[in-house]
Every structure is written in C-alpha cells, then in structure tokens.
Amino acid sequence: MTTLVYLIPAALFLGALGLFGFLWALRSGQYEDLHGAAERILIDRDDKPER
C-alpha cells in the first residue's frame, strides 16, 4: 500500500509531462505538414550530395 503513495504521483507526473510535450508539439507546428514527409521519402533524387 505504501508503494502506491509513490507510484500514483509518479504516474500523474509522467502523464502530465507527456501531455505538456504533446501540447508543445501542437503549438510549435510539428503536425502542420503530415503529407510532406510521407511524400518526400518517395521522391527519387539522382543528384548526389557534394563533398
């Protein structure tokens, strides 16, 4: 029973941390272009990077 005293606040803290991270990602525009990254992998580029 005493372990629940430590586990419940730890779980609530981790849940709040995850929620904060998700809301930060929404506000910073991480989910603006969902199709761009998916289509970018399909584009075949013949030019090689210069060294």
Side-chain angles (χ1 to χ4, degrees):
M1 191 65 166
T2 58
T3 57
L4 290 178
V5 173
Y6 298 111
L7 289 178
I8 290 175
L12 290 174
F13 174 73
L14 289 175
L17 189 66
L19 180 63
F20 175 74
F22 176 69
L23 292 176
W24 171 82
L26 280 179
R27 290 185 182 150
S28 67
Q30 295 291 323
Y31 296 108
E32 291 294 323
D33 185 20
L34 294 177
H35 297 290
E39 292 172 1
R40 202 173 310 126
I41 198 169
L42 297 175
I43 296 173
D44 187 25
R45 291 189 173 185
D46 290 333
D47 54 325
K48 296 182 182 184
E50 296 180 16
R51 291 185 186 196

